[in-house]
């Protein structure tokens, strides 16, 4: 084979690979837009003002309503944050401020990384085992426990990373002024890493917003309006699940409308989180 | 920054180590409490993993005692009426749907990662990377909704072509035969592939970007093409983390529930064709959990969950280990 043809072959392989890689990227972007487009199209078609004022209608009627599910989802998310944020924040603080690079801290980081992508359905089974089974019935509280466990690893990781970015000169200055460790952490390092920590919380919230699998075994669903934390509670993901698989046209439309609102909420959260992340200063 | 950190750390010892100040004793106890609160939270976060395995094992104990391990794994009988349960069809369904997903997602992710890291001009890099990452933000229930009501009808029109062409190949032909329903094992695999794409490609892209530019530039200086640099310089250097990223995607695919439940067709009978309905461990859990009327039925379902979590934890463990290995070599935590 002449030198010339070896050169030509390498060129051909190079150009072909670049085209294929560009095509792979197009495939990924294509599916994103396909999914977003259909969610937008069917979601807007299913939008009715009564979605926000009426509760989910019984089968066979052509009414529209998701009020109980929206309220239920907000309660579930709020309760999960109430449990998940303090634990995640404190655990991340221990890693960055007390644990450092010690063996124990690295072990906790390792376990946390595994928890970060543990299947959500298993978390649901766990919440079933520790909350639903002992109490004897499904409850919104059990659902929040499952969702909190899902968001904790995300908050732990971002808090740890963001606190580690805070320069030690700030800590030293505070210590030199005589501030005890807990004041240094709460008043100086947390404050300096504020944007980053908030990003972690938002990403965690976005992650649990659409989670359905863990709610199957915990909060279940409720056709009626309920704010009782110790009873099943209506929520958006379960409504999408049940309504999408139903034969009624208005139920399917409501599933799309609920999916559209969930996606819009998650996308806005992700974009806000991204903009916060842009504000994080990396000291060098 | 390590030297100065130690100094700060010394200042942050638990209160008991510091000289007691008579004027402000409350400060000392607040310090102590804060430290212990963080220790407790960190312990809680890490102990959850073990608590999950223990609780699920405990709840599946009646089924483990009744069916044993080996018999449960290889039995295909799943009959709530006679109270006999076996995991085989669900294990095969989980493995096959994830295998299809990985076959499709790994090459695509590699292409996307190299495109973003090496080929794309700067102005296109950011929006494309953001778009691919947005795929991970879409809730899995929305993938399910889209898969069932939008993708499946379209795919049903492609399936006859698949069975006409691939179904005629001797040996693997039987994998692609059956009525064009749009839902089934292959559909589940395709939807899973789209879902794990952002996870695998973002890990690959991140590790491709940490390859020292001296390596990359030397290769280009020697006259290597972009493809040769990607395949012969970047990939070998980042191999362990790339495999870790693939494992991370696999772990996601194995445990994915809602999207699969919508599009796999939910048949508890194993079929030889990928175009036919099937079931995975998560999908049968999602479908039958609230219908499980007897203790043994419920316990058998949780037993399925135990099998799944043992497998996924092993996969995630390897994934995190492999991804961290590259980080250590670089001297930075991955």
């Amino acid at each position: 084979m002449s030198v010339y043809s070896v050169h030509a072959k390498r060129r051909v392989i190079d150009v072909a690979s670049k085209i294929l890689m560009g095509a792979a990227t197009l495939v990924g972007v294509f599916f994103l837009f396909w999914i977003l487009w259909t969610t937008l199209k069917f979601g807007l078609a299913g939008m009715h003002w009564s979605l926000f004022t009426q509760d989910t209608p019984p089968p066979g009627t052509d009414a529209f309503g998701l009020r109980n599910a929206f309220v239920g989802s907000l309660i579930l998310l709020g309760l999960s944050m109430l449990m998940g944020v303090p634990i995640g924040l404190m655990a991340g603080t221990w890693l960055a401020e007390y644990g450092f690079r010690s063996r124990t801290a690295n072990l906790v980081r390792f376990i946390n990384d595994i928890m970060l992508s543990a299947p959500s359905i298993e978390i649901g089974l766990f919440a079933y085992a520790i909350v639903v089974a002992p109490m004897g019935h499904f409850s919104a509280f059990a659902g929040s426990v499952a969702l909190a466990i899902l968001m904790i690893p995300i908050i732990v990781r971002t808090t740890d990373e963001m606190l580690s970015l805070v320069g030690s000169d700030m800590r030293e200055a505070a210590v030199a002024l005589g501030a005890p460790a807990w004041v240094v952490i709460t008043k100086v390092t947390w404050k300096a890493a504020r944007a980053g920590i908030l990003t972690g919380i938002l990403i965690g919230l976005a992650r649990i917003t659409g989670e359905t699998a863990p709610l199957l075994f915990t909060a279940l669903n409720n056709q009626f309006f309920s704010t009782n934390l110790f009873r099943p509670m209506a929520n958006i993901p379960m409504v999408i699940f049940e309504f999408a698989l139903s034969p009624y046209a208005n139920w399917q439309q409501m599933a799309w409308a609920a999916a559209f609102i969930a996606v819009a909420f998650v996308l806005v959260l992700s974009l806000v989180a991204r903009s916060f992340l842009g504000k994080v200063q990396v000291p060098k | 920054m390590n030297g100065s950190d130690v100094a700060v750390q010394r200042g942050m010892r638990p209160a008991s180590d510091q000289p007691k100040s008579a004027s402000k004793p409350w400060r000392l106890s607040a310090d102590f409490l804060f430290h212990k609160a963080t220790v407790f939270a960190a312990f809680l976060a890490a102990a959850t993993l073990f608590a999950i395995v223990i609780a699920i094992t405990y709840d599946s104990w009646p089924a483990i005692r009744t069916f044993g391990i080996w018999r449960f794994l290889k039995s295909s009988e799943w009959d709530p009426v006679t109270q006999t349960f076996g995991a085989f069809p669900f294990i095969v369904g989980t493995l096959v749907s994830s295998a299809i997903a990985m076959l499709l997602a790994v090459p695509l992710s590699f292409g996307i990662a190299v495109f973003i890291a090496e080929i794309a001009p700067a102005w296109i890099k950011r929006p494309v990377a953001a778009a691919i990452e947005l795929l991970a933000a879409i809730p899995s229930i929305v993938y399910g909704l889209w898969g069932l009501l939008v993708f499946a009808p379209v795919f049903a029109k492609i399936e006859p072509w698949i069975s006409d062409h691939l179904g005629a190949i001797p040996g693997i032909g039987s994998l692609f035969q059956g009525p064009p329903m749009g839902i089934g094992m292959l559909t589940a695999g395709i939807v899973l592939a789209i879902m794990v794409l952002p996870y695998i490609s973002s890990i690959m892209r991140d590790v491709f970007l940490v390859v020292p530019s001296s390596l990359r530039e030397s290769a280009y200086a020697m006259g290597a093409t972009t493809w040769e640099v990607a395949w012969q310089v970047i990939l070998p250097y980042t191999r362990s983390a790339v495999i870790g990223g693939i494992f991370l995607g696999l772990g996601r695919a194995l445990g994915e529930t809602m999207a699969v439940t919508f599009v796999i067709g939910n048949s508890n009978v194993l079929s030889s064709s990928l175009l036919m309905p099937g079931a995975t461990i998560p999908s049968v859990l999602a479908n039958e959990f609230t219908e499980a009327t007897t203790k043994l039925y419920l316990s058998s379902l949780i037993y399925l969950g135990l099998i799944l979590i043992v497998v996924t934890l092993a996969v995630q463990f390897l994934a995190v280990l492999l991804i961290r290995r590259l980080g250590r070599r670089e001297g930075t935590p991955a």
Side-chain angles (χ1 to χ4, degrees):
Chain A
M1 205 187 278
S2 75
V3 175
Y4 201 73
S5 73
V6 169
H7 179 72
K9 193 179 153 206
R10 288 176 58 205
R11 293 290 306 167
V12 169
I13 290 177
D14 188 50
V15 170
S17 72
K18 277 181 180 163
I19 292 172
L20 283 176
M21 286 166 182
T25 312
L26 274 181
V27 168
V29 174
F30 167 74
F31 276 107
L32 174 77
F33 281 106
W34 191 4
I35 294 168
L36 290 182
W37 167 244
T38 44
T39 312
L40 183 75
K41 190 174 74 172
F42 293 115
L44 288 182
M47 275 300 165
H48 287 256
W49 185 240
S50 59
L51 286 179
F52 305 98
T53 57
Q54 305 286 311
D55 290 340
T56 44
T61 62
D62 52 7
F64 280 80
L66 290 170
R67 184 182 68 127
N68 50 344
F70 282 125
V71 172
S73 266
L74 288 179
I75 293 175
L76 280 170
L77 292 179
L79 200 57
S80 318
M81 285 182 60
L82 224 53
M83 292 186 270
V85 171
I87 296 176
L89 179 66
M90 291 304 264
T93 303
W94 181 79
L95 285 174
E97 302 287 334
Y98 296 98
F100 277 118
R101 302 251 155 268
S102 68
R103 241 165 207 283
T104 328
N106 279 333
L107 183 69
V108 171
R109 283 192 189 100
F110 192 87
I111 293 171
N112 193 64
D113 277 1
I114 294 176
M115 281 293 289
L116 209 52
S117 37
S120 61
I121 191 160
E122 303 286 354
I123 313 279
L125 282 179
F126 176 61
Y128 176 86
I130 62 161
V131 185
V132 177
M135 280 173 60
H137 53 81
F138 297 99
S139 68
F141 174 70
S144 309
V145 169
L147 295 181
I149 295 174
L150 274 167
M151 86 186 295
I152 286 172
I154 300 169
I155 301 177
V156 171
R157 189 174 178 165
T158 37
T159 305
D160 178 22
E161 281 176 356
M162 293 303 158
L163 288 178
S164 305
L165 287 180
V166 176
S168 47
D169 46 350
M170 262 200 259
R171 290 194 189 101
E172 280 160 14
V175 171
L177 287 173
W182 80 279
V183 174
V184 176
I185 292 167
T186 52
K187 297 246 168 89
V188 179
T189 41
W190 276 3
K191 237 181 190 165
R194 199 172 34 199
I197 294 173
L198 211 58
T199 306
I201 295 171
L202 290 180
I203 295 173
L205 189 61
R207 163 85 204 276
I208 62 171
T209 294
E211 274 297 345
T212 317
L215 298 178
L216 280 168
F217 316 142
T218 51
L220 217 60
N221 200 355
N222 193 335
Q223 203 195 315
F224 306 103
F225 187 88
S226 161
T227 53
N228 186 340
L229 298 182
F230 298 100
R231 290 286 154 195
M233 194 181 273
N235 58 81
I236 290 296
M238 285 295 290
V239 165
I240 299 177
F241 182 45
E242 279 181 16
F243 281 17
L245 298 174
S246 80
Y248 311 109
N250 64 324
W251 277 24
Q252 287 195 7
Q253 275 188 314
M254 272 187 271
W256 277 114
F260 169 69
I261 291 170
V263 168
F265 185 67
V266 170
L267 291 189
V268 167
L269 277 180
S270 310
L271 291 178
V272 172
R274 257 175 187 277
S275 75
F276 269 129
L277 210 54
K279 289 203 188 106
V280 176
Q281 297 129 357
V282 184
K284 269 282 159 201
Chain B
M1 72 183 235
N2 272 334
S4 51
D5 274 355
V6 175
V8 178
Q9 178 68 348
R10 209 168 286 141
M12 277 189 225
R13 283 267 178 79
S16 54
D17 289 5
Q18 292 177 358
K20 285 204 159 48
S21 153
S23 57
K24 286 166 185 165
W26 60 272
R27 268 191 176 177
L28 299 174
S29 71
D31 225 17
F32 179 80
L33 284 177
F34 187 84
H35 177 226
K36 289 304 169 209
T38 63
V39 170
F40 178 69
F43 169 79
L44 213 59
T48 310
L49 181 69
F50 301 96
I52 290 172
V53 177
I54 292 167
I56 292 177
T57 311
Y58 178 81
D59 274 9
S60 47
W61 196 247
I64 298 175
R65 264 214 336 234
T66 313
F67 302 114
I69 295 173
W70 188 237
R71 190 149 66 96
F72 188 72
L73 290 180
K74 65 174 188 176
S75 161
S76 295
E77 208 171 335
W78 185 268
D79 190 352
V81 180
T82 59
Q83 292 286 301
T84 41
F85 300 103
F88 191 68
F90 311 116
I91 294 173
V92 173
T94 310
L95 295 179
V96 169
S97 58
S98 296
I100 298 170
M102 299 319 282
L103 276 176
L104 297 171
V106 170
L108 280 174
S109 302
F110 180 73
I112 293 171
V114 176
F115 181 81
I116 294 175
E118 294 294 313
I119 301 174
W123 62 273
I124 214 174
K125 254 180 205 179
R126 266 175 166 268
V128 167
I132 298 294
E133 271 175 19
L134 274 188
L135 276 174
I138 297 173
S140 72
I141 184 107
V142 176
Y143 276 98
L145 195 63
W146 170 82
L148 177 69
L149 300 176
V150 178
F151 182 69
V154 174
F155 194 59
K157 295 199 183 98
I158 305 172
E159 277 181 347
W161 185 89
I162 294 177
S163 35
D164 284 352
H165 290 78
L166 297 176
I169 303 169
I172 62 160
S174 64
L175 287 175
F176 301 102
Q177 276 158 6
M181 288 180 288
I183 54 172
M185 204 64 99
L186 189 57
T187 316
I190 294 172
V191 174
L192 277 177
I194 307 166
M195 296 181 75
V196 298
L197 202 65
Y199 295 101
I200 306 178
S201 67
S202 77
I203 297 248
M204 285 186 182
R205 184 201 64 204
D206 286 350
V207 299
F208 289 172
L209 289 174
V210 303
V211 172
S213 39
S214 57
L215 274 182
R216 186 181 283 138
E217 281 157 15
S218 332
Y220 281 122
M222 298 283 287
T225 62
T226 308
W227 168 251
E228 284 160 353
V229 171
W231 192 251
Q232 292 172 21
V233 177
I234 294 179
L235 191 61
Y237 186 82
T238 54
R239 194 186 295 121
S240 76
V242 165
I243 297 172
I246 293 171
F247 272 58
L248 203 71
L250 178 63
R252 292 262 170 192
L254 290 170
E256 175 47 45
T257 309
M258 296 323 292
V260 174
T261 308
F262 271 87
V263 298
I264 202 163
N266 301 311
S267 159
N268 294 356
V269 182
L270 209 53
S271 166
S272 66
S273 169
L274 297 179
L275 302 185
M276 294 292 280
T280 67
I281 290 177
S283 79
V284 73
L285 271 166
N287 274 314
E288 300 189 11
F289 197 83
T290 44
E291 293 164 14
T293 40
T294 66
K295 203 170 176 203
L296 188 63
Y297 190 2
L298 192 66
S299 170
S300 301
L301 283 169
I302 298 176
Y303 193 2
L304 287 178
L306 178 65
I307 296 170
L308 181 71
I309 197 158
V310 168
V311 175
T312 47
L313 284 184
V315 169
Q316 309 288 16
F317 178 82
L318 281 174
V320 177
L321 209 64
L322 286 167
I323 294 171
R324 288 192 159 207
R325 188 188 275 177
L326 183 81
R328 247 203 309 284
R329 191 160 64 181
E330 286 305 300
T332 52

